[in-house]
């Protein structure tokens, strides 16, 4: 069996904490999120719910019954995409979303059995790799989670013809979500 070695620089602990906020949202067809650093949107992502997601999480495409899992998946994907922003540097990391189950899962790593529990276990492994983890979760009403909501709805068939990238994000770098096949999931 291998050994585990982790190291962090002293400056990671002694530096002033910076504010990092991750807003996320999901719909039964897609996930999306924005990264806010010191009050400014610095990155965003969006992706569709894939066949891999459906098979691994055992959810139905386009069904509201998988909403909790999709929301938790949005949190996991964003946390992995933006790990360099929070993993090994001192920061005040806040999660913002409109789904209490996903926020609770990401902050406490507790979840109901099923797909959300699988995602919580994955996130627990990510936190175990890190020097720091999120400290705050804020529930925002769905109607005020505008940017992340718009990103998550990019792949909704009912929105295909009129969907546009919000102007605020036109000059902000897009991060590509990783393919969520067997290589994405650490626990199979």
């Amino acid at each position: 069996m291998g050994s585990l070695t982790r190291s962090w620089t002293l400056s990671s602990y002694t530096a002033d904490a910076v504010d990092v906020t991750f807003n996320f949202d999901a719909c039964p067809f897609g996930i999306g999120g924005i990264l806010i650093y010191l009050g400014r949107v610095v990155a965003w992502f969006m992706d569709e719910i894939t066949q891999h997601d459906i098979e691994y999480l055992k959810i139905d495409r386009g069904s509201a019954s998988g909403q909790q899992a999709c929301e938790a998946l949005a949190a996991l994907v964003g946390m992995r995409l933006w790990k360099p922003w929070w993993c090994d540097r001192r920061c005040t990391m806040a999660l913002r979303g409109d789904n209490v189950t996903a926020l609770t899962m990401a902050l406490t790593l507790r979840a109901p059995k099923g797909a959300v529990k699988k995602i919580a276990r994955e996130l627990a492994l990510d936190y175990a790799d890190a020097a720091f983890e999120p400290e705050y979760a804020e529930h925002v009403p769905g109607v005020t989670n505008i940017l992340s909501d718009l990103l998550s709805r990019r792949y909704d068939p009912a929105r295909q013809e009129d969907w546009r990238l919000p102007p605020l994000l036109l000059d902000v770098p897009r991060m590509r979500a990783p393919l969520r096949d067997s290589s994405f999931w650490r626990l199979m």
Side-chain angles (χ1 to χ4, degrees):
M1 185 168 286
S3 64
L4 175 65
T5 303
R6 290 187 257 183
S7 61
W8 295 280
T9 62
L10 179 60
S11 63
S12 295
Y13 288 95
T14 59
D16 290 336
V18 295
D19 291 329
V20 178
T21 304
F22 167 38
N23 290 28
F24 65 91
D25 203 2
C27 78
F29 299 99
I31 57 177
I34 59 172
L35 178 66
I36 302 168
Y37 176 70
L38 299 176
R40 199 173 121 250
V41 178
V42 295
W44 59 275
F45 81 93
M46 65 180 173
D47 201 14
E48 67 182 308
I49 300 299
T50 67
Q51 189 61 36
H52 292 291
D53 300 331
I54 291 165
E55 291 170 7
Y56 183 72
L57 298 173
K58 296 179 176 36
I59 59 175
D60 296 323
R61 182 182 306 278
S63 172
S65 65
Q67 184 67 27
Q68 305 296 342
C70 293
E71 296 274 359
L73 180 63
L76 175 64
V77 168
M79 293 298 285
R80 285 194 177 169
L81 271 175
W82 295 320
K83 206 170 185 176
W85 288 86
W86 63 268
C87 182
D88 59 2
R89 68 164 86 177
R90 188 167 174 218
C91 64
T92 302
M93 176 69 169
L95 302 172
R96 298 182 77 225
D98 60 9
N99 186 278
V100 173
T101 299
L103 289 167
T104 301
M105 180 273 313
L107 200 59
T108 67
L109 302 175
R110 293 188 186 112
K113 65 181 177 180
V116 179
K117 183 79 149 184
K118 284 182 178 181
I119 295 167
R121 291 172 53 209
E122 291 284 331
L123 201 50
L125 290 175
D126 292 346
Y127 291 175
D129 292 339
F132 304 97
E133 59 188 70
E135 296 180 40
Y136 305 102
E138 179 184 0
H139 178 260
V140 292
V143 71
T144 62
N145 201 17
I146 297 167
L147 290 176
S148 297
D149 180 70
L150 285 169
L151 293 172
S152 75
R153 295 183 185 280
R154 168 66 181 94
Y155 300 97
D156 183 340
R159 305 263 178 120
Q160 289 293 312
E161 292 192 27
D162 65 342
W163 191 92
R164 300 284 179 268
L165 183 66
L168 180 65
L169 299 179
L170 290 174
D171 295 323
V172 177
R174 176 182 183 180
M175 302 286 296
R176 298 280 176 193
L179 176 64
R180 292 174 302 281
D181 59 8
S182 60
S183 66
F184 177 81
W185 301 102
R186 296 171 68 178
L187 298 169
M188 290 299 286

